[in-house]
Amino acid sequence: SPPPPHRCAPPAAAPVPREREMVKVVTRSTRGLGLKFSLETFNTVRHFSAHTPICYGPNPKNKGSKSWFRYEKYRHAKTVGEAIKLGAKVADLCWELQHENYTLPKATKTVRARGLSPKEVARIEARLASISGPRGLAVSMDSANAAEELAKEEAWLKAKLELTQK
């Protein structure tokens, strides 16, 4: 008979998804229609801290996709810092905020990210603060005319894409 398990043995690691289990996306987006987030979304995510409370809902991603597996890893996080440590990307935070896949509960007491060293907290907060907004925005996101400048840039890009498709 096999020996009894050691009391101090580390818990079994979660199975790593195999490549063949993942869903391959075979279609690509139309040029110029990449990830688009509103200025408000960028501003909200940019002002998160590692200790911002977050509450994820059920996994809305396509089962078996890379983003589905990534979401499964961080969906139980209680703070933004924990979510990033568990694999969330800044783009995930923007996408999921815009699609209401998580809520930002009001903290009734100070929430601290679990398992984060001060160095990790500083790294996460630097990553969040470095968000510069939509590509092509030539002014600061805090500028009063940022939305107007972004609209001009998007109109120019749309016109350019229409010329290249003719």
Side-chain angles (χ1 to χ4, degrees):
S1 74
H6 192 283
R7 292 182 118 175
C8 297
V16 176
R18 296 185 186 122
E19 187 66 29
R20 67 178 182 268
E21 294 173 342
M22 292 187 183
V23 174
K24 298 283 185 192
V25 178
V26 292
T27 58
R28 298 187 85 168
S29 299
T30 305
R31 186 172 176 179
L33 299 178
L35 291 177
K36 303 277 187 192
F37 307 121
S38 70
L39 212 52
E40 181 182 345
T41 297
F42 278 114
N43 262 329
T44 301
V45 173
R46 185 174 72 137
H47 289 100
F48 283 168
S49 79
H51 305 293
T52 301
I54 194 167
C55 183
Y56 283 96
N59 194 337
K61 312 289 184 172
N62 289 330
K63 189 167 185 156
S65 67
K66 288 179 182 180
S67 60
W68 184 86
F69 283 108
R70 199 169 55 244
Y71 191 96
E72 281 298 304
K73 288 180 185 176
Y74 62 79
R75 73 185 187 117
H76 297 292
K78 300 291 182 207
T79 65
V80 170
E82 291 170 21
I84 290 175
K85 183 176 181 179
L86 293 171
K89 298 178 180 181
V90 172
D92 291 332
L93 293 172
C94 292
W95 176 268
E96 292 154 5
L97 176 63
Q98 197 150 310
H99 291 85
E100 299 177 352
N101 297 138
Y102 63 80
T103 59
L104 300 170
K106 299 286 182 206
T108 54
K109 60 182 179 177
T110 304
V111 179
R112 287 280 174 227
R114 297 173 294 186
L116 293 178
S117 69
K119 191 174 185 178
E120 289 173 313
V121 169
R123 183 184 54 82
I124 289 168
E125 292 188 352
R127 185 187 301 174
L128 292 167
S130 71
I131 297 171
S132 59
R135 199 166 108 191
L137 183 62
V139 297
S140 166
M141 286 197 312
D142 295 325
S143 175
N145 65 338
E148 181 183 326
E149 289 295 320
L150 183 60
K152 284 182 195 176
E153 181 66 28
E154 287 179 351
W156 174 82
L157 180 61
K158 184 179 178 184
K160 183 178 175 184
L161 288 173
E162 286 173 357
L163 284 176
T164 60
Q165 291 173 355
K166 288 183 181 179

